[in-house]
Amino acid sequence: MAFYVTTPIYYVNAAPHLGHAYTTIGADILARHHRQRGEDVFFLTGTDEHGEPVARVAEAEGITPKELADRNAQRFLDLLPRINVSNDFFIRTSDPRHKRRVQEVMQRVHDNGHVYKDLYEGWYCPRCADFKTEGEIGPGNTCMIHVGTPLDREREENWFFRLSTFEQPLKELYAQRPDFVAPRSRYNEALAFINGGLQDVSLSRAKLTWGVEVPWDEGHVFYVWFDALLNYYTALSFARDGEDLTELFWPARYHVLGKDILKFHAVFWPALLMAADIAVPERELIHGFLLMRDASGAESKMSKSLGNVLDPFEVMDKFGTDALRFYCFREVSFGHDGGVSTTTFGERYESELANDYGNLASRTLAMIGRYRDGVVPDVGVDPELAPDFDGLVEQVSELLDRAEITQALDRIWQRVRRLNRYVEERAPWQLAKDEAVASELDVTLRSLAEGIRAVTVLLHPYMPETAAKLLAALGEEELALESARFGARPGGGIVGELPQLFPKPQ
Ligand code: MSP
């Protein structure tokens, strides 16, 4: 089964921060999980390189927009191996192949009669690259997203997209597909926007040269959002040399994105696709914002403009990549806003990663080494422990099908805790003292090894590097989801050396 998942493409007018990493890791978790199910996965991320903000920053720095884009796209590219993301392709919208495909699709929108030329006047935020509607204008004509940024009064001849004619088709789409946008609160928000009445939107910019040229009117470039959204579709036509993957992977299964760009994805995007006779994506998964919690406990949005950016590189240098991946999705419920801080990061690292999980694994392997010469006893698993793992694979899959990434992790972690209790209940170090209960010790060690293996297979999407190390030490490299069942693998394997998974940070 084909599974196509995307992240938003990130603006190259600034360097990546933890917020960007968060979305990308979220999509990576889903991609890895679906690979475990044996599906044919295609995972796309990339950079959004056109538009006013990029042109402005480049001008301020005295370089060309392309030079700026090349430099900053590289920073987003460099982030990917650091956060261990398994994307299949990285699209850059300045790629001529993307441009050609955008022109093709937009020409179809034009030929289908969905565009017209008119004069446009309105309040425009140069940082959002977006004209603002009445409710979106802050005090003194400022941007409500980039708080304090003055809006420009803009007036120019523009091409318009007849968004208004898609009001009814969009209502029907929402009625037929109650899970088109998740979570439900975001579905309701998008639907309320549609029900509020849709106005036509400006499709091109006459003043700007940095963008994709409008094929039927020289001197205009497409408004950056049209060119950007189309990346999800265009990439499939050139991501793999000599192959067009569109047939296989379109429509996308999931677009993963933050709540800030809901309107573009949940309203404009399906309308644009309908206008071009292209199928709309299956689902859009909207997550909240990571907020920085300062020493007083106050929270604020992490962004370039507020200057409180948590640098993912620094975090990973100190705690490792998997710790960052784990923490973000453990601490902040996917779909909601939530605070992150170095304090709670340190606490979770210590108590959950180092103790609950790392210690459990190292103790278990050490006991198998000491009491059974490094061989997992070849006996059945403990029938008293087994029911606590029943249905776990199904629960995790169902939760991930609803993009409940944090909930799914919580279900897995409940089993990690259960295994810790099991060690205490069984006290293998006591059993080891008495030859008469040798078979009890066998069952205990075997059940612990098997339990750790099962949770680790399920943790692979969240912490791929840790999972690989631990499974290697258990002599069990299998990652298929089915193998995550407790008792799915036989005993008798030889355990190896386990490096310390979560050392004390320097
Ligand atoms: N270029 C557009 C998207 C075009 S998609 C066709 C854009 N880029 S962006 O660089 O501003 O990235 C926005 C995305 O980054 C958000 O939707 C979200 O996924 C992520 N985040 C940025 N800051 C974030 C947080 N503080 N917390 C969580 N995610 C954040 O918009």
Side-chain angles (χ1 to χ4, degrees):
M1 191 196 286
F3 177 89
Y4 178 31
V5 59
T6 67
T7 75
I9 46 171
Y10 304 106
Y11 285 134
V12 287
N13 56 336
H17 59 67
L18 188 59
H20 305 124
Y22 178 66
T23 310
T24 311
I25 295 168
D28 188 55
I29 290 170
L30 297 172
R32 287 179 185 273
H33 170 77
H34 281 270
R35 284 193 201 102
Q36 286 187 293
R37 291 192 192 182
E39 294 177 17
D40 190 4
V41 171
F42 195 81
F43 171 18
L44 180 73
T45 185
T47 41
D48 185 355
E49 306 193 356
H50 292 130
E52 179 110 22
V54 177
R56 281 204 181 198
V57 173
E59 202 183 311
E61 290 192 23
I63 53 175
T64 65
K66 179 75 169 92
E67 282 167 340
L68 178 80
D70 286 347
R71 190 188 70 201
N72 282 353
Q74 192 57 45
R75 294 187 182 160
F76 281 94
L77 265 165
D78 290 344
L79 179 67
L80 300 175
R82 285 297 311 274
I83 55 178
N84 205 355
V85 158
S86 63
N87 61 304
D88 294 287
F89 190 64
F90 187 94
I91 187 171
R92 297 184 53 187
T93 53
S94 60
D95 190 319
R97 296 170 298 181
H98 165 74
K99 291 193 192 181
R100 274 198 300 276
R101 190 80 164 162
V102 168
Q103 288 176 328
E104 250 172 65
V105 174
M106 293 309 292
Q107 184 69 50
R108 202 149 72 224
V109 173
H110 170 273
D111 297 348
N112 284 348
H114 299 301
V115 304
Y116 62 95
K117 204 170 194 178
D118 204 354
L119 198 66
Y120 190 85
E121 182 167 356
W123 291 106
Y124 179 85
C125 172
R127 299 182 63 191
C128 296
D130 188 18
F131 281 100
K132 299 290 160 181
T133 58
E134 241 164 69
E136 294 172 330
I137 300 173
N141 296 321
T142 52
C143 178
M144 287 164 79
I145 294 174
H146 300 96
V147 181
T149 300
L151 299 177
D152 298 334
R153 193 72 190 164
E154 295 246 356
R155 188 184 155 87
E156 63 175 32
E157 275 250 289
N158 263 199
W159 284 94
F160 280 74
F161 172 55
R162 295 185 198 279
L163 181 64
S164 57
T165 58
F166 289 93
E167 202 174 303
Q168 201 47 41
L170 284 171
K171 285 179 184 166
E172 282 161 23
L173 171 74
Y174 274 69
Q176 284 159 12
R177 309 248 302 259
D179 57 4
F180 178 57
V181 176
R184 193 68 187 179
S185 55
R186 299 295 169 199
Y187 169 99
N188 290 337
E189 188 182 329
L191 185 57
F193 185 84
I194 297 164
N195 286 335
L198 296 179
Q199 286 163 17
D200 295 344
V201 290
S202 162
L203 177 104
S204 70
R205 318 284 297 141
K207 289 184 194 136
L208 205 65
T209 51
W210 178 236
V212 179
E213 295 80 22
V214 174
W216 62 86
D217 191 357
E218 231 173 277
H220 286 251
V221 297
F222 287 111
Y223 170 45
V224 63
W225 268 101
F226 285 87
D227 142 30
L229 286 163
L230 277 164
N231 90 87
Y232 301 132
Y233 181 73
T234 67
L236 294 176
S237 66
F238 60 86
R240 230 176 259 164
D241 275 343
E243 254 185 284
D244 189 337
L245 302 175
T246 317
E247 264 297 289
L248 183 59
F249 288 108
W250 195 263
R253 182 84 66 86
Y254 294 138
H255 291 320
V256 179
L257 50 129
K259 63 178 186 177
D260 52 333
I261 50 177
L262 172 72
K263 186 178 76 182
F264 294 102
H265 283 80
V267 183
F268 292 9
W269 179 225
L272 183 66
L273 288 169
M274 290 176 192
D277 304 317
I278 300 173
V280 301
E282 282 180 34
R283 298 190 71 189
E284 301 192 351
L285 308 178
I286 319 297
H287 65 74
F289 269 120
L290 295 186
L291 308 166
M292 279 292 282
R293 213 179 284 140
D294 66 20
S296 69
E299 286 181 346
S300 55
K301 178 178 168 236
M302 193 177 350
S303 75
K304 311 176 277 260
S305 39
L306 289 168
N308 60 357
V309 174
L310 185 63
D311 182 350
F313 289 101
E314 261 174 47
V315 173
M316 288 182 293
D317 284 344
K318 202 166 166 205
F319 295 91
T321 299
D322 280 353
L324 176 82
R325 294 175 61 109
F326 170 83
Y327 170 76
C328 289
F329 289 87
R330 181 85 171 132
E331 182 72 16
V332 179
S333 183
F334 196 72
H336 298 93
D337 288 352
V340 293
S341 71
T342 46
T343 314
T344 55
F345 199 116
E347 284 165 6
R348 284 206 190 269
Y349 183 84
E350 183 66 31
S351 76
E352 298 191 328
L353 290 179
N355 286 345
D356 289 353
Y357 187 51
N359 250 346
L360 171 74
S362 60
R363 281 168 90 188
T364 300
L365 291 188
M367 288 190 288
I368 294 171
R370 194 174 321 133
Y371 306 137
R372 292 295 179 261
D373 290 329
V375 180
V376 179
D378 193 7
V379 296
V381 290
D382 192 334
E384 278 178 40
L385 185 61
D388 292 334
F389 283 79
D390 277 354
L392 177 60
V393 171
E394 287 74 13
Q395 283 170 29
V396 168
S397 301
E398 275 163 30
L399 285 163
L400 288 179
D401 278 342
R402 285 187 270 129
E404 299 273 15
I405 299 180
T406 306
Q407 293 292 332
L409 178 55
D410 189 58
R411 293 297 191 285
I412 305 167
W413 217 255
Q414 286 171 10
R415 275 42 175 220
V416 171
R417 297 227 156 107
R418 176 68 191 98
L419 290 169
N420 276 290
R421 286 199 310 277
Y422 183 73
V423 179
E424 296 310 317
E425 285 162 16
R426 295 284 151 164
W429 49 91
Q430 295 291 355
L431 300 175
K433 289 181 188 160
D434 183 357
E435 256 310 303
V437 290
S439 63
E440 256 182 68
L441 181 60
D442 282 343
V443 170
T444 302
L445 294 178
R446 157 85 167 115
S447 302
L448 282 171
E450 181 59 5
I452 291 170
R453 191 197 60 77
V455 293
T456 300
V457 172
L458 292 173
L459 285 172
H460 154 80
Y462 297 86
M463 298 194 282
E465 210 182 311
T466 303
K469 284 185 198 160
L470 190 36
L471 291 175
L474 287 168
E476 283 284 353
E477 320 267 330
E478 183 57 60
L479 279 179
L481 196 63
E482 276 307 307
S483 75
R485 291 178 200 286
F486 185 66
R489 306 289 299 170
I494 298 168
V495 301
E497 198 63 30
L498 181 66
Q500 197 179 359
L501 296 175
F502 303 102
K504 281 224 180 309
Q506 299 304 310

